[in-house]
Amino acid sequence: MNTVIKARGLQKSYGDLRVVDGLDLDIRKGECFGLLGPNGAGKTTTLRLLLGLIAPDSGELHLLQHAVPGDARVARLRVGVVPQFDNLDPDFTVTENLLVYGRYFGMIDAQIHARIPALLEFANLTAKREARVPTLSGGMKRRLTLARALVNDPEIIFLDEPTTGLDPQARHLIWQRLRALTAQGKTLLLTTHFMEEAERLCHRLAVMDNGKLISTGSPRELIEQNIEPQVVEVFGETSADWAQRYAAQFAHRHEISGESVFCYVNDAQPLVAHLQGQDELRYMHRPANLEDVFLKLTGREMRD
Amino acid sequence: MRTNHYALPQFSRRFMPIWRRNFMVWKKMAASSVLGHLADPVIYMLGLGYGLGGMLPAIDGIPYITFLAAGTVCYSTMNSASFEALYSGFARMHEQRTWEAILNTPITLDDVVFSEMIWAASKSLLSGLAVLAVIWVMGLTHSALSLWIIPLAFLVGLCFASLGLIMTSLAPGYDFFMYYFTLIITPMVILCGVFFPVSQLPGWLQAVSAWLPLTHAIDLARPLLTDKVPPQVLLHVVVLACYALIAFYIALVLFRRRLSK
């Protein structure tokens, strides 16, 4: 298997805070790899380390076979980045943004102009090619940022929360485009805290918290390895009382969050039969998903 | 494996695409920009030059307006570099995140900071050229030596761009720049011989003035406009170059500390 990103024992602290704490990572050519984690888990710092924008305190790192941060500049010739915050050039049109960005990679104008129509097509922005950036919608800006990241025809694309702040329509369009990129054989490394995004796009995922990878695998593997297959959510004012009396009897494991009780079970039938007799409670029975895994691994408390 | 923030700068030609980017932005608002470069210094030069100059005797044998013209070229190039390095530089670094976008490409922070310095100096050059053109048109100089004002404007630009970048690297926001203008730029304008000869100042203020870069710029510009080879050319050029190099290095270290973490 062809490894395009390889990290061993990556460590980065700010003051006393270990933001990245002994990270090992192997990302294979052509896969879409998702880095999941709550805010402050160390995802963005990890991306910055992998790109060679900051130096680790210790550890070893290779990006496309180049030692990073030492040879990061050469490695970045073949990398595209979609940053978390919009940093398009507001003074320029859509086309000018692509042109100017291509020059940063040492491309000559003729080369860039030859690529622009296909990039605009890919980003669904052909009709907007002469529009200035401030006139674009949030979704269009994101698509332009994605097109810009492709200007150098990169082998790996880093995406830091690519759909945060987008409406569902815009988000689905981005997902479709990212799938098209993996179909072309590009390697994608994305950070997200949308489980649906991770589940739909990623071949493999790693859940990150406190600077460490807690669990790695395909979405299905993560669910199988970490959590019972069935979930029954119980709602109602009396749900907490009910949980105290019955939850342990029916559920392998349960968690209380406000007026909801999450029961994790291997077989939901006995619990569902019992709940049908409880008039004051409502319930929902569903298969376990990535969000359950995420909440189990990283806890339910807020991370602000 | 910590990054060495104190490493010497690595210059390369990779700053060129950034310079071209800034030039493209500038072209879009060239009209208002040229007006800005011209209006303020020319109004000062004409107003004070004729208004005040009419009441004043010639200074060292040159009419006051010509005396003032040399100061005006220098202080307008200084202002131009300072505004570009402070306000526009801060916008590119912080508000628009332009630097962040560039740093994700094979361009490094050293290239970006270098491009800021060269770009701000380029705008100074333009500003100096604009004022010089007015001086020529008004017939205030007929000296071929006045052409040396052009490279001088670029050097003054490098010097004040680098000094300004130190402030930008430390700035939490735009308000911070008021300190720089109040505490550095304004005293420089008053103490360096823009409006009157430094020799008018008390001895201790003359001593302060001798250390300020704008003094050295004006000491070069004034003879050039009156068809004289400036005395101590090398000293003045070295002082300006040292300010530029040392300030650039300090700014670069501060930017590395701010951004490469």
Side-chain angles (χ1 to χ4, degrees):
Chain A
M1 199 66 79
N2 199 341
T3 304
V4 289
I5 298 176
K6 187 182 170 106
R8 289 290 174 271
L10 224 49
Q11 196 116 232
K12 182 75 186 173
S13 301
Y14 293 127
D16 290 334
L17 189 67
R18 282 216 171 150
V19 183
V20 174
D21 189 3
L23 191 93
D24 294 337
L25 201 59
D26 287 279
I27 294 174
R28 302 162 196 155
K29 190 174 166 56
E31 74 176 341
C32 177
F33 190 95
L35 213 48
L36 288 176
N39 287 332
K43 305 187 297 290
T44 300
T45 305
T46 302
L47 290 194
R48 284 170 62 77
L49 283 169
L50 298 182
L51 283 167
L53 300 176
I54 47 176
D57 299 333
S58 62
E60 218 179 291
L61 176 58
H62 285 86
L63 172 60
L64 290 164
Q65 276 75 51
H66 294 285
V68 170
D71 294 331
R73 219 183 58 70
V74 191
R76 287 205 299 270
L77 274 172
R78 297 188 285 150
V79 173
V81 179
V82 176
Q84 186 175 349
F85 299 103
D86 173 39
N87 58 22
L88 295 163
D89 254 318
D91 299 302
F92 290 151
T93 65
V94 167
T95 302
E96 286 169 337
N97 261 282
L98 297 173
L99 174 67
V100 166
Y101 210 69
R103 288 174 181 164
Y104 298 148
F105 290 89
M107 298 168 74
I108 57 168
D109 287 10
Q111 253 178 322
I112 308 167
H113 281 301
R115 278 188 64 74
I116 284 177
L119 292 170
L120 290 174
E121 180 81 5
F122 181 81
N124 236 356
L125 287 170
T126 306
K128 290 280 178 185
R129 62 185 177 275
E130 297 306 328
R132 285 182 60 235
V133 165
T135 67
L136 302 179
S137 70
M140 289 176 188
K141 284 183 191 167
R142 280 271 101 179
R143 267 143 48 207
L144 176 55
T145 306
L146 179 59
R148 191 183 67 171
L150 301 174
V151 73
N152 57 326
D153 196 16
E155 290 170 48
I156 306 182
I157 301 139
F158 286 65
L159 304 112
D160 196 1
E161 300 190 13
T163 63
T164 298
L166 295 187
D167 63 28
Q169 287 84 352
R171 180 171 297 162
H172 277 269
L173 187 50
I174 294 278
W175 287 345
Q176 195 194 328
R177 289 305 185 254
L178 296 184
R179 271 195 296 267
L181 289 174
T182 35
Q184 290 171 26
K186 306 279 189 203
T187 307
L188 266 53
L189 171 58
L190 66 92
T191 74
T192 183
H193 41 224
F194 294 123
M195 299 307 129
E196 193 191 348
E197 182 162 288
E199 211 155 0
R200 279 166 181 257
L201 292 177
C202 297
H203 304 118
R204 285 198 309 141
L205 295 167
V207 179
M208 184 167 193
D209 202 11
N210 301 317
K212 290 192 172 92
L213 298 189
I214 329 176
S215 191
T216 308
S218 70
R220 176 176 294 214
E221 281 166 357
L222 283 186
I223 295 169
E224 282 169 3
Q225 286 164 11
N226 288 291
I227 207 157
E228 300 76 8
Q230 305 288 318
V231 181
V232 179
E233 293 181 31
V234 182
F235 321 95
E237 280 177 35
T238 58
S239 61
D241 296 335
W242 174 86
Q244 221 168 16
R245 274 198 268 166
Y246 297 109
Q249 181 184 331
F250 291 102
H252 190 232
R253 198 168 61 79
H254 73 280
E255 283 173 14
I256 299 172
S257 176
E259 287 191 359
S260 306
V261 182
F262 294 81
C263 301
Y264 300 94
V265 294
N266 290 315
D267 175 12
Q269 276 320 310
L271 175 56
V272 169
H274 162 81
L275 285 167
Q276 278 166 348
Q278 305 283 321
D279 291 338
E280 70 280 18
L281 294 172
R282 287 169 296 125
Y283 69 92
M284 185 173 78
H285 172 207
R286 58 172 176 81
N289 60 32
L290 216 45
E291 187 141 335
D292 298 311
V293 176
F294 185 80
L295 288 170
K296 182 187 172 193
L297 293 177
T298 63
R300 283 181 186 272
E301 73 275 18
M302 292 297 294
R303 305 294 183 93
D304 284 338
Chain B
M1 219 209 294
R2 282 215 172 267
T3 341
N4 179 8
H5 291 317
Y6 299 96
L8 284 176
Q10 302 224 312
F11 297 111
S12 78
R13 291 187 52 218
R14 288 187 297 269
F15 79 91
M16 277 305 292
I18 314 177
W19 191 94
R20 288 177 76 187
R21 176 228 170 253
N22 294 340
F23 185 65
M24 254 173 88
V25 176
W26 178 82
K27 272 197 300 189
K28 285 178 186 273
M29 31 206 140
S32 68
S33 174
V34 169
L35 187 71
H37 286 315
L38 272 179
D40 196 52
V42 168
I43 289 167
Y44 266 87
M45 193 165 71
L46 295 183
L48 291 177
Y50 288 122
L52 198 58
M55 306 189 298
L56 295 174
I59 299 172
D60 299 330
I62 43 172
Y64 184 67
I65 190 161
T66 310
F67 178 89
L68 186 61
T72 305
V73 169
C74 294
Y75 103 78
S76 72
T77 54
M78 170 182 78
N79 268 351
S80 174
S82 302
F83 273 98
E84 190 63 29
L86 295 168
Y87 290 93
S88 308
F90 189 75
R92 286 187 286 265
M93 172 183 74
H94 187 77
E95 201 162 276
Q96 293 178 197
R97 297 172 175 274
T98 312
W99 288 18
E100 182 189 87
I102 295 171
L103 291 172
N104 284 329
T105 72
I107 292 176
T108 62
L109 185 60
D110 289 24
D111 299 320
V112 171
V113 179
F114 187 56
S115 80
E116 286 292 340
M117 177 176 71
I118 298 290
W119 171 247
S122 305
K123 284 200 69 174
S124 279
L125 177 64
L126 193 83
S127 179
L129 269 176
V131 177
L132 190 61
V134 173
I135 292 171
W136 283 331
V137 168
M138 289 173 61
L140 298 180
T141 184
H142 302 285
S143 167
L145 282 176
S146 68
L147 285 169
W148 283 101
I149 296 284
I150 298 167
L152 174 63
F154 192 73
L155 180 60
V156 173
L158 290 176
C159 170
F160 284 97
S162 302
L163 288 168
L165 285 171
I166 295 179
M167 290 306 280
T168 306
S169 71
L170 297 169
Y174 291 108
D175 293 340
F176 186 66
F177 298 142
M178 269 317 291
Y179 294 112
Y180 186 70
F181 280 97
T182 310
L183 299 176
I184 308 285
I185 297 294
T186 305
M188 199 100 64
V189 173
I190 300 302
L191 298 180
C192 294
V194 175
F195 300 109
F196 51 82
V198 175
S199 57
Q200 294 295 307
L201 295 169
W204 66 275
L205 271 180
Q206 286 190 37
V208 173
S209 174
W211 286 93
L212 299 177
L214 191 65
T215 304
H216 296 272
I218 293 173
D219 281 348
L220 288 169
R222 197 155 277 149
L224 290 172
L225 282 184
T226 50
D227 203 28
K228 294 193 194 78
V229 176
Q232 296 179 300
V233 174
L234 190 66
L235 168 78
H236 299 311
V237 170
V238 167
V239 169
L240 289 169
C242 283
Y243 263 104
L245 288 172
I246 294 169
F248 177 78
Y249 176 71
I250 294 171
L252 182 63
V253 170
L254 291 169
F255 278 123
R256 285 172 179 161
R257 289 165 61 127
R258 177 172 181 149
L259 299 169
S260 298
K261 62 171 196 181

